Amino acid sequence: MKTFSTISGNHLYIDFPSFDPKSPFAKREVRQAVARGFDLDAIIASVLYGQGIRYNGVGVDSSTYDKSLANYTYDPAEARKLLAKAEFPNGFDTPCYNLTTQREPYIKEVGEAIYAYLQTIGVRCQVRGLEYSAWLDMIRRKPNHAPDGIISTMSGQGIPSDPANVWVLHLHEYVPESGLGAFSLTKDDKATKLVKQLQGTMAPAKRAGLIKEIGQYKHDMVLGGIPTYQPVVTLAWRDKFAFTPWPFPGYWRGFQEVSAVP
């Protein structure tokens, strides 16, 4: 028996309608509270059995990963203070949509754990499960169509985890019938401007610096969702098969190079 383990090119996160001025998530303090309201390290250890790697918006396998950008820390007391500062001293109720799919192991249970943690800081989740097709329909932006609460979601950054294209989809503001912001719940002029600038920047050094700048701004403002983890993928096959895991586009699950051993 042979095995192979690696970090997936998939990137999981939770998002919320910060673009909607009527939503609690339009307030930065509420987004910051949510970011500090669940213990992701404990969830990775106990729900994923350690088969996940935290990331801060850019994949840990990327050449532009910013090690100096700290992940959000679990601090329920600070989270409750932030909610009070945002004029929600008693918290609030919100739908919390939970993706359920076999695409990533235990993704349903991770979402349930996050939403259970948020209850303790006053973000009272009305948990609603979404099968994959229903999730796809919900995250696709259309005029007057977007999740009205928190949603567990994911996007690929491929190999070697270049975030530019996915930021066009979920950090750039939604522009109808253009493809821009096709899954975006964010509307922030500076974020949109920076993403456009990144799309037109080819020089590697300038591009890396701009990715770092966007990553810091995204982190500080809690925009484009809260990064959670990259799954760790493990494949196993018998010795009578020759198998080379296929990296593109970063999911390692393609069986393009598999054959019987003579």
Side-chain angles (χ1 to χ4, degrees):
M1 178 73 71
K2 296 181 180 179
T3 63
F4 171 77
S5 295
T6 189
I7 300 170
S8 170
N10 202 8
H11 296 69
L12 280 68
Y13 62 103
I14 61 171
D15 209 349
F16 24 62
S18 62
F19 75 93
D20 182 358
K22 298 179 181 179
S23 170
F25 303 103
K27 295 188 175 183
R28 179 185 177 188
E29 292 86 359
V30 170
R31 303 194 299 271
Q32 290 174 325
V34 173
R36 289 162 176 77
F38 58 96
D39 190 342
L40 185 58
D41 290 326
I43 292 172
I44 290 174
S46 60
V47 178
L48 290 176
Y49 302 97
Q51 298 301 291
I53 303 294
R54 294 191 68 170
Y55 75 107
N56 56 30
V58 178
V60 298
D61 47 336
S62 173
S63 61
T64 58
Y65 185 72
D66 185 0
K67 295 181 180 179
S68 68
L69 187 59
N71 292 312
Y72 298 112
T73 56
Y74 176 51
D75 190 339
E78 179 64 19
R80 287 189 284 269
K81 289 180 182 178
L82 286 163
L83 288 178
K85 185 178 179 181
E87 301 180 344
F88 293 104
N90 299 315
F92 59 89
D93 300 314
T94 182
C96 290
Y97 299 97
N98 194 32
L99 172 59
T100 63
T101 176
Q102 298 303 312
R103 182 169 168 178
E104 300 295 351
Y106 301 109
I107 191 172
K108 170 179 176 288
E109 289 77 10
V110 168
E112 290 172 342
I114 290 173
Y115 295 153
Y117 267 109
L118 294 182
Q119 305 275 5
T120 67
I121 65 168
V123 178
R124 295 180 293 275
C125 284
Q126 303 161 355
V127 181
R128 303 172 185 176
L130 291 176
E131 296 290 347
Y132 193 77
S133 58
W135 168 78
L136 280 175
D137 182 66
M138 177 163 282
I139 65 171
R140 289 192 180 105
R141 283 298 308 276
K142 305 170 188 175
N144 303 315
H145 173 88
D148 54 349
I150 303 174
I151 186 168
S152 60
T153 187
M154 58 187 178
S155 66
Q157 292 184 8
I159 299 294
S161 290
D162 188 316
N165 288 335
V166 295
W167 281 348
V168 167
L169 295 175
H170 71 81
L171 183 58
H172 190 290
E173 70 176 278
Y174 170 60
V175 181
E177 300 181 2
S178 71
L180 297 171
F183 308 111
S184 179
L185 301 181
T186 296
K187 181 176 172 55
D188 181 272
D189 291 344
K190 182 175 179 179
T192 294
K193 180 180 179 181
L194 288 171
V195 170
K196 286 181 178 178
Q197 185 179 348
L198 177 61
Q199 284 296 93
T201 302
M202 297 293 107
K206 290 183 179 180
R207 186 176 178 83
L210 191 53
I211 288 174
K212 183 175 181 180
E213 180 182 355
I214 296 172
Q216 183 71 60
Y217 183 71
K218 179 181 183 298
H219 180 275
D220 293 345
M221 299 298 292
V222 198
L223 296 172
I226 299 170
T228 52
Y229 68 99
Q230 293 177 251
V232 173
V233 176
T234 298
L235 303 173
W237 61 97
R238 294 181 179 179
D239 292 340
K240 65 180 182 179
F241 292 103
F243 172 51
T244 300
W246 191 260
F248 184 81
Y251 297 109
W252 302 98
R253 302 184 181 99
F255 291 94
Q256 285 93 335
E257 297 186 23
V258 60
S259 61
V261 174

